[in-house]
Amino acid sequence: MILEEEIKNTVAAEFFGKFDCTRILGKIDFAVKIKRPKNAVDFHDEYLLWAEAKQKPADIPVMLTQLVLTVGKARTFDEILPPPFLGCYDCEKIAFVPYSEIQDIFYQNDFNWNITPSNHNTKEFKQVYEKVKSIIENDIPFETFLFHFAQDEKELRRFIRENFIAGKNKTSKIRIDRNNFISIYNKWLQTVQPTIAVKWEKAKARGIIDGDFYLADLLSAENKTLKEKLFVLLRHNYYEFDRVIDEDDIYNSKRAEFSDNQKAYALFWAKYERPPHEDYWNFMVERRDLLVPQDVRERKGSFFTPQIWVELSQRYIADVLGDDWQDEYYVWDCAAGTGNLLAGLTNKYNIWASTLDRQDVDVMHDRIKNGANLLESHVFQFDFLNDDFSKLPQGLLNIINDGEKRKKLLVYINPPYAEAASRETVIGLAENKTDVAVTSKIYSKYLSSIGIAGRELFAQFLIRIYCEIPSCALANFSKLKNLQAPNFSDFRAKFRAKLGKMFVVPADTFDNVKGKFPIGFFIWNTAKQIDFTEITADVYNHEGILTGTKRFSSYDGLKSINDWIISTRNRNNEKKIGFISCKGNDFQNTNFVFIINDKNQLPHPRGSWITDKNIIEISIYYAVRKVIPADWLNDRDQFLYPGDGWKNDSEFQNDCLAWTLFNNNIQSKYGTNHWIPFTEYQVGAQDNFGSNFMTDFIAGKTNSHTIISEPDLFYYAAGGSGGSGGYRQPGYEPKERIFSPAAKAVFSAGRKLWRYYHAQKNIDVNAGLYDMKEYFQGRNDKGKMNNRSTDEKYNKLIGGLRETLQILAKKIEPKVYAYGFLKG
C-alpha cells in the first residue's frame, strides 16, 4: 500500500523538483513555492500552489472542499499572499483550479469555519462542496485542469512549465474585499506608510490618519483615487489633503510626496487587484475606524457592533417598548461612530446620531447621500463625555429639557469599552494602559459617587445618561462589570435604573475583541429606581442561536472566597508544605490559581502558604476554583464565602484533597516535595522519599513542629495587622482520611503512573506529577512542555489518570453550588 507521505514525496520529486515543496504551511497537505536563491537578502516567499493530498482515489470536489475548509479555518490568506492555484491529487490524478475562482467562498458572511475540515458530514462541508462543485462544473469548465499521472504526464509537465512562473499568472493578484482589507492595511502600514513624507503627529492632530492614505491608495486606479469624498486623495505621484495639516508651513501646502520616488508603493500594490469591487467601497470608508492607530482606538474604545446583534437588539427593544417604538420614541445614539447601530431603523425624523470625530460625521453624511435612512441635520459631532448639552441641536435639546418628551427618548448605544487600569499578571504588575478614561469632565464630575468604576468609559456614558437625562429609556451594549464586578458596587448604588430585559453574546463576535467573556445588551427604565440584585438573561452563541438562559447577580454585600481563606488561617506551630498563588475571585483568573513549592518562585507573589493546619481548606479552595472549566459565559462569575455545610462533609473535603494532590505544580528542584501521595513501597521507589508528610497526613499521623513567623499575604490584603489576630481557626485534629470510590479511582490511576515512572532509569525519586510529565513529555525548542510523549504507555497512563480526575471533578461540582461557593 502506498502511504500518503510517499505520494507527496513522489509528486514533489517528479513534477515540482525545481520548486520548494518542503515548507509545512499550517495543515495544508502540500505547498509549492519559488526556491529561495542563494545569498538572497530581500526575498519574499511566493507560493504557486496549495493542495490537498489523498492516499487513495478520491472525488475532486471532495478534496478541494477539504482544502478550502482547511485554508478558510486558518485564514492562511490573511498572512500569506495566496498562490495562483489551489489543487488536489491522489495516487491517480491531479487537478488545478485558479485561486481567483474559489476565493469568494472564503468571504461568506455568517459561515462557521470552526469545524473539522475532514468531517464530510457537517452542513458546512456540504455547503462548500456544492459551491466548489458548481464552480468546477458550471463557472469555469475550461479553467479546471485535470491530469492523470499515467495518461497525461506530458501535458501535466507542460502545464507546470508554462504556468508555475513567479508573477506569471494574473490570479497571483489578490482581490481586496471587506474581509481582508484590514490585514492588507497592516501590511501596507509596514511597507508603504514609512515612505510617505508627512509629519504624522501634526497630521493626526488635524484629524488625518495613516488609514486615510491607505484608503486613497485602495480606492484608486492607475494611481488616481476614484472616490473624491475622502480626506486624502492620491494624485498619481503625490497625495492631496482636504485641509492644511502643518500650520507652520508658510506655503499652507495640502500635499505630501513619496520619499522613495514611489518604489515601495509600486512593489506593494503590484500584488493586489485595485480597486475593490464597488459594492465594498462604502463599507471600507465606513469602517475607517478599523484603520485608526492603536492609541487613538484606545481613546475611542471602538468596537463595531455586528449586524446580527444590531438586529437582535432591536427585536428586544420592540419586546419591551412595543412594536411601534420607532414611531413612539425618539432615538439618540450618542456614541454612533459611523452609525451602524442605527441600521434598520425606519423613522429618520425621530433619530439622532452623534459621534466624537468629525470624520465619522462626514462618513454618515456621505452614507445619507447614498441612501442611509438618516437626516443630515440630526447627525452631528458631539463629545458626550466632555461637551455641555447646550451644544446639542435645538430639536434634541428641546426633547431633553421637556420632562414628558424625555420619557419618550431612547438612548441606544454601544459605548466604548476602554478603561484606565493596571494590568496584572501572575508574576506581578505589567505596564499601565494608556489613561484613556480618566481625562474626561464626566469622570471628574462623578468620580466621588461611582468610584473606580469611573475608569471605564462605558460607565461614564451610563452615569451621565442616568443622572442628566432622567426618566429616559436606555438600551446599551457593554461588558457585565456594571452588574457583577465588586469594584462597581459604588456605581450600582448610584445607578439604580430598573433593568427590564437583557441578552448576552460572546465578546469575540465583536470586531477586535479577543477575550472570552460575555457582552450584554441591556434595556433600562431610568424612571424606576431599584437596586439591582439579579436577572435571568437569554444566552446566544456565536451563530446567533438562543442556547438557554443564565442568571447574573450583583454579589453586593457578599464576602468572597478569598475572604474565606483569610478567615481559616492558623498561625501557630504550622509546617509549610507549599504555596498557593491566587488572584481575583472569578473564573477569568482561573489560570492564576496554582500550587507550587515556595512563594520565592514568583517575583511578586500573591497568595498564601499551605501548611499542615490549612491543607484541607486550601484543597477545597483549589478544587472549587478549578473543577468547573472557565468559559466565555461564566468568565465574570464570582466565587464566594461558603456556608457551613462543607464543614461536616468529610467526603467532600477528601474528594477535594484527592483532586488537588494530582493537579499541582510541585517540583522537587524547588525544595522538599511534601505532596507525594504514596509510600515508597506502594510505588516501588528506588530510594527513600525526602518527605512522607502526605501519606502520614492521610493516615492521621501528622505532628506539626515548624513555626511560621511571617504574616500571611492574604491577611494584609484584608487590612489585618499581622500576628495572630482574629482570623484564626482551630486546627484539624489528625485523623485518617477515608476516600470515596471516585477518589480511590484517582489514587489507583495515579499509583500506576508513579510505579511506571519509578521503574525508569535516571529518575528523581522525589519527583512530583509535574516532574513526571516533564520527564516523559519533554520540551520543545521554545522551552514549552510538549503535549504528548513518545512513550505510548505513559500516554495511556496519564490519559487514564485524567479520566478519573474528570469524573471526580463532576462529583465535586454540585457541592460547589450547594455549599455556596458559587451562585446557582
Side-chain angles (χ1 to χ4, degrees):
M1 179 182 293
I2 301 177
L3 299 177
E4 185 175 302
E5 288 303 316
E6 289 183 59
I7 295 175
K8 289 193 220 176
N9 294 337
T10 300
V11 170
E14 288 292 325
F15 298 100
F16 299 98
K18 63 181 288 188
F19 305 102
D20 182 356
C21 305
T22 61
R23 174 74 182 274
I24 298 174
L25 192 60
K27 295 187 176 181
I28 297 173
D29 286 343
F30 188 75
V32 177
K33 68 185 184 73
I34 301 295
K35 279 187 176 179
R36 183 186 184 92
K38 291 182 178 180
N39 303 320
V41 177
D42 187 18
F43 178 80
H44 301 283
D45 285 341
E46 181 177 353
Y47 283 89
L48 302 174
L49 173 69
W50 294 343
E52 180 74 14
K54 292 296 180 187
Q55 173 188 355
K56 299 178 181 179
D59 181 58
I60 288 175
V62 168
M63 289 191 285
L64 283 174
T65 297
Q66 188 167 331
L67 175 65
V68 168
L69 290 172
T70 299
V71 173
K73 183 175 184 178
R75 298 199 69 78
T76 314
F77 45 80
D78 282 343
E79 300 298 327
I80 299 172
L81 188 68
F85 294 98
L86 296 181
C88 60
Y89 62 85
D90 54 31
C91 60
E92 296 179 344
K93 59 189 178 294
I94 186 168
F96 304 91
V97 177
Y99 179 87
S100 60
E101 301 296 337
I102 293 289
Q103 69 173 350
D104 284 347
I105 297 177
F106 296 127
Y107 303 125
Q108 301 176 83
N109 292 324
D110 302 323
F111 184 83
N112 175 26
W113 289 100
N114 294 318
I115 52 119
T116 303
S118 59
N119 184 352
H120 298 179
N121 296 319
T122 64
K123 68 175 183 179
E124 289 81 8
F125 188 97
K126 295 173 182 177
Q127 181 180 335
V128 173
Y129 174 83
E130 292 301 325
K131 287 181 177 292
V132 169
K133 189 177 180 182
S134 175
I135 290 170
I136 291 175
E137 294 180 351
N138 302 315
D139 297 345
I140 53 168
F142 298 107
E143 289 194 73
T144 304
F145 304 102
L146 171 63
F147 303 91
H148 287 80
F149 293 124
Q151 303 98 302
D152 306 321
E153 179 181 352
K154 185 176 180 180
E155 291 80 1
L156 172 59
R157 292 187 185 280
R158 182 188 300 118
F159 174 81
I160 294 172
R161 185 171 61 252
E162 294 178 354
N163 289 278
F164 280 49
I165 301 171
K168 187 263 183 189
N169 198 300
K170 66 179 182 180
T171 59
S172 63
K173 277 197 172 186
I174 186 169
R175 286 189 287 173
I176 306 172
D177 56 34
R178 60 188 296 157
N179 294 286
N180 65 358
F181 87 109
I182 297 302
S183 62
I184 294 171
Y185 161 72
N186 290 326
K187 299 178 192 299
W188 177 94
L189 203 58
Q190 301 299 317
T191 306
V192 180
Q193 191 257 23
T195 69
I196 301 173
V198 68
K199 296 178 179 178
W200 291 105
E201 288 303 316
K202 290 191 175 184
K204 188 166 67 173
R206 293 287 293 152
I208 299 291
I209 61 174
D210 48 28
D212 292 316
F213 291 83
Y214 172 68
L215 288 173
D217 285 1
L218 182 64
L219 303 179
S220 69
E222 297 180 356
N223 296 339
K224 183 177 180 181
T225 303
L226 301 176
K227 189 175 177 64
E228 288 294 320
K229 189 118 178 126
L230 295 175
F231 306 127
V232 177
L233 301 175
L234 177 64
R235 300 301 193 193
H236 299 295
N237 60 353
Y238 67 91
Y239 294 99
E240 183 179 274
F241 317 134
D242 69 342
R243 70 201 74 176
V244 174
I245 63 173
D246 186 356
E247 295 177 348
D248 296 330
D249 184 355
I250 60 175
Y251 299 106
N252 290 327
S253 175
K254 294 184 179 181
R255 60 186 282 170
E257 313 285 343
F258 289 92
S259 62
D260 67 341
N261 293 321
Q262 220 168 350
K263 291 179 181 178
Y265 166 94
L267 286 172
F268 179 84
W269 287 113
K271 303 173 185 176
Y272 301 99
E273 187 176 318
R274 291 183 297 163
H277 194 284
E278 196 167 355
D279 289 348
Y280 299 129
W281 290 13
N282 286 338
F283 171 83
M284 291 171 177
V285 174
E286 290 167 15
R287 294 317 317 273
R288 174 185 180 273
D289 64 306
L290 295 179
L291 307 177
V292 174
Q294 184 62 27
D295 61 327
V296 178
R297 283 191 58 76
E298 287 190 350
R299 175 174 62 84
K300 294 173 64 179
S302 306
F303 291 101
F304 188 78
T305 316
Q307 192 60 33
I308 185 176
W309 307 136
V310 172
E311 295 172 1
L312 185 63
S313 69
Q314 292 173 11
R315 294 209 307 267
Y316 272 67
I317 293 173
D319 289 342
V320 174
L321 301 184
D323 291 338
D324 297 327
W325 68 276
Q326 293 194 50
D327 294 323
E328 296 177 358
Y329 281 79
Y330 305 100
V331 178
W332 180 21
D333 183 352
C334 56
T338 55
N340 82 297
L341 191 61
L342 303 174
L345 300 188
T346 57
N347 190 346
K348 62 184 179 182
Y349 297 99
N350 281 5
I351 302 170
W352 304 82
S354 61
T355 185
L356 177 67
D357 290 332
R358 180 72 237 172
Q359 294 93 330
D360 288 338
V361 174
D362 292 340
V363 168
M364 282 191 279
H365 284 169
D366 194 38
R367 288 181 59 204
I368 291 170
K369 290 181 174 64
N370 287 283
N373 196 35
L374 298 168
L375 292 178
E376 280 200 26
S377 60
H378 285 200
V379 175
F380 56 97
Q381 184 178 7
F382 184 76
D383 185 346
F384 191 82
L385 299 183
N386 288 290
D387 288 346
D388 188 85
F389 281 171
S390 61
K391 295 183 178 181
L392 295 174
Q394 192 60 47
L396 179 58
L397 185 61
N398 290 341
I399 295 169
I400 292 175
N401 290 335
D402 186 315
E404 290 304 311
K405 287 184 177 179
R406 194 166 60 239
K407 293 178 183 178
K408 290 294 185 179
L409 173 63
L410 169 65
V411 181
Y412 178 34
I413 54 172
N414 180 13
Y417 303 156
E419 61 181 298
S422 296
R423 292 181 293 187
E424 293 184 350
T425 69
V426 70
I427 61 172
L429 291 174
E431 74 277 8
N432 287 343
K433 291 179 68 175
T434 306
D435 284 345
V436 295
V438 296
T439 57
S440 75
K441 291 180 180 179
I442 295 301
Y443 172 79
S444 300
K445 182 176 182 178
Y446 291 103
L447 176 62
S448 61
S449 58
I450 66 174
I452 196 172
R455 296 173 71 86
E456 300 263 3
L457 287 180
F458 85 90
Q460 294 181 31
F461 273 82
L462 297 186
I463 200 64
R464 185 180 195 187
I465 294 164
Y466 176 77
C467 294
E468 300 181 22
I469 315 178
S471 301
C472 73
L474 169 61
N476 73 281
F477 288 92
S478 76
K479 296 179 285 187
L480 272 58
K481 289 185 176 183
N482 56 320
L483 301 187
Q484 295 185 293
N487 57 9
F488 268 64
S489 58
D490 289 342
F491 177 90
R492 287 188 288 274
K494 180 73 173 179
F495 184 93
R496 300 182 63 246
K498 182 179 180 181
L499 180 55
K501 197 167 187 177
M502 70 174 287
F503 65 79
V504 293
V505 300
D508 59 7
T509 58
F510 286 69
D511 283 4
N512 299 308
V513 182
K514 296 181 180 179
K516 302 293 184 182
F517 59 90
I519 285 180
F521 179 71
F522 311 79
I523 302 176
W524 308 87
N525 183 347
T526 67
K528 294 186 178 180
Q529 313 296 308
I530 187 172
D531 291 331
F532 172 76
T533 55
E534 65 180 31
I535 189 171
T536 299
D538 292 334
V539 178
Y540 291 85
N541 65 14
H542 289 77
E543 289 73 43
I545 298 172
L546 179 65
T547 59
T549 60
K550 179 174 171 59
R551 185 172 68 170
F552 294 97
S553 303
S554 71
Y555 306 109
D556 289 337
L558 300 177
K559 292 184 178 180
S560 74
I561 194 170
N562 284 341
D563 293 324
W564 173 64
I565 284 296
I566 293 170
S567 74
T568 57
R569 289 299 177 266
N570 299 286
R571 305 195 180 278
N572 296 320
N573 301 317
E574 293 178 319
K575 178 179 180 178
K576 296 178 184 178
I577 62 170
F579 184 82
I580 184 167
S581 172
C582 303
K583 180 186 175 185
N585 299 296
D586 53 17
F587 278 95
Q588 67 174 318
N589 288 297
T590 294
N591 290 338
F592 300 109
V593 178
F594 51 87
I595 291 173
I596 55 178
N597 300 62
D598 194 296
K599 75 172 188 177
N600 292 321
Q601 292 171 238
L602 303 175
H604 302 284
R606 295 185 60 185
S608 179
W609 288 110
I610 309 170
T611 74
D612 58 337
K613 295 297 194 299
N614 67 12
I615 185 174
I616 292 300
E617 291 97 332
I618 292 293
S619 295
I620 293 173
Y621 175 97
Y622 188 68
V624 162
R625 292 291 303 264
K626 306 284 270 189
V627 297
I628 302 172
D631 58 32
W632 74 268
L633 189 55
N634 66 20
D635 185 72
R636 299 307 197 251
D637 288 359
Q638 303 286 316
F639 289 93
L640 303 171
Y641 195 117
D644 292 336
W646 67 273
K647 294 180 179 179
N648 298 317
D649 190 342
S650 60
E651 183 174 312
F652 171 70
Q653 296 172 24
N654 295 335
D655 282 346
C656 291
L657 175 62
W659 196 89
T660 300
L661 289 177
F662 296 91
N663 277 284
N664 59 71
N665 292 331
I666 296 293
Q667 300 177 66
S668 64
K669 67 181 178 182
Y670 291 114
T672 303
N673 180 3
H674 297 292
W675 293 76
I676 302 174
F678 305 107
T679 65
E680 293 90 339
Y681 177 79
Q682 287 175 318
V683 298
Q686 299 174 17
D687 203 343
N688 292 324
F689 295 152
S691 169
N692 294 108
F693 166 81
M694 196 57 65
T695 51
D696 286 347
F697 177 81
I698 291 170
K701 299 177 182 178
T702 54
N703 183 22
S704 301
H705 57 275
T706 303
I707 303 296
I708 286 188
S709 59
E710 184 174 1
D712 182 88
L713 298 178
F714 270 128
Y715 181 70
Y716 279 122
S721 57
S724 57
Y727 291 94
R728 191 183 302 164
Q729 278 280 98
Y732 280 89
E733 293 297 325
K735 64 179 181 180
E736 183 180 1
R737 296 283 155 186
I738 307 299
F739 293 98
S740 67
K744 288 179 179 178
V746 171
F747 275 94
S748 178
R751 183 184 176 192
K752 292 175 183 177
L753 178 59
W754 252 260
R755 288 186 67 85
Y756 185 62
Y757 173 79
H758 282 278
Q760 308 301 310
K761 296 179 180 180
N762 302 318
I763 57 104
D764 178 357
V765 71
N766 292 302
L769 180 60
Y770 186 95
D771 298 317
M772 295 180 190
K773 290 193 290 187
E774 186 174 38
Y775 176 87
F776 285 111
Q777 294 172 210
R779 295 184 179 274
N780 61 24
D781 294 339
K782 297 181 180 179
K784 183 179 179 181
M785 190 182 295
N786 297 316
N787 293 327
R788 285 179 58 84
S789 170
T790 56
D791 187 325
E792 287 305 320
K793 183 171 181 180
Y794 163 79
N795 289 334
K796 183 177 180 181
L797 291 172
I798 194 71
L801 176 59
R802 287 168 179 159
E803 287 179 9
T804 61
L805 285 167
Q806 289 174 0
I807 293 170
L808 183 59
K810 287 295 182 183
K811 181 174 184 290
I812 294 170
E813 182 175 342
K815 293 184 178 180
V816 174
Y817 295 96
Y819 294 146
F821 291 100
L822 284 174
K823 282 194 171 186

